[in-house]
Amino acid sequence: MTVPPAPPARPDSPPSFIAVVDRCDNFRPPLPTPFSPNHTERPALVPFLLSPTTQPPIGLVRAAIVDALQPSPIFITHRPSHEHPRGYISFAAHITTPAARSRAMHSLLAFWRTVRLFPDVIGPTKWRNELYDIFASPFDVLSADTAEGADGAVPKIEPTNYAFSMERAACALFGVVTYGVHMTVYEQDDDGAMRIWVPRRSATKQTWPGFLDNSVAGGIPSSYTPFDALVKEAEEEASISPALTSARAKAEGSVSYFYQADGGWLQPEVEYVYDLRLQPGEIDGGLLPGDTEVEVFKLMPMEEVISRMHAGEFKPNCAVVLLYFLIRHGHVTPDNEPRFLEINTRIHGRFDLDRW
């Protein structure tokens, strides 16, 4: 059955937000191809499994990573088979616990950094010196009680879904799912008019320097809960007191998308979403940068926010979070957005893990 094309937009119709989604959710995992014993071409992407018996994969790696792992006492490269048409990589048989995986990954990445392998991802200006927790199933229970060690996080308790921890900057090398928090801080008049506090990222940021961002945004460090991370980021980036965030921040769900960076590295991500409504003038002087990651905050009328979203001035995932805000607050509806259903589906994706 052929799906008819969408009707053309009327000349006076606003542009669709689908382009905002396309800038962020811009990757589709390739489907496995039937195995052929005569097939010698290296597949472009290879699944990353915790072990030969674990499913689904936890990451998707490029051929350059497979090559860098030859030979390796930490990882095993498995040949293509009927069950795994593209082959796969997994931790070596003796590396079976979260603590062992964390130590092994730290050792590998530290070596790659020393020899300047993949400098566009883990070079001196990219390395964050911050650990992210990686999970066997990205939509299962996400918790890991960890204690910081000299070479990474050493779990005190090993929940079945917690797999290991690794350097934040290196997650894209292995295509693993990562997690963050985003909070939209806004004001609203009695007539419904909204304004959003929008920061401009510092020109010295490791990623997306100078782009517009969400009011508060950041990754979830190892051993942090989403709300703990939100409180931390709100104080550090926007000088919002922990007491205010704890009392007023409202959890509003999550968004998920599969992003591929310009260099080809894969970044499937989940962002926990929060709103914080302020009364006009409630914070004397408004939001102020609390560290060097934000250059300046501006209280933007909704019309300006939308215009800058369409113009591509926001960091792509921040624009998606703002789009979800617009949907939840009734600014984007099935009646004014012809691609409404596709947009809603795309910003709540599951990454097609079973197809890796």
Side-chain angles (χ1 to χ4, degrees), residues 98 132-135 141-147 153-165 221-225:
Y132 272 2
D133 290 332
I134 308 302
F135 297 92
V141 177
L142 306 182
S143 64
D145 187 5
T146 60
V154 180
K156 293 181 288 188
I157 300 175
E158 298 180 355
T160 56
N161 195 38
Y162 170 63
F164 59 94
S165 299
S222 176
S223 80
Y224 275 66
T225 68

Side-chain angles (χ1 to χ4, degrees), residues 10 13-17 326 330-340:
R10 297 178 312 196
S13 298
S16 172
F17 282 95
L326 295 176
H331 294 273
V332 176
T333 71
D335 295 313
N336 64 20
E337 172 51 70
R339 308 287 287 276
F340 184 84

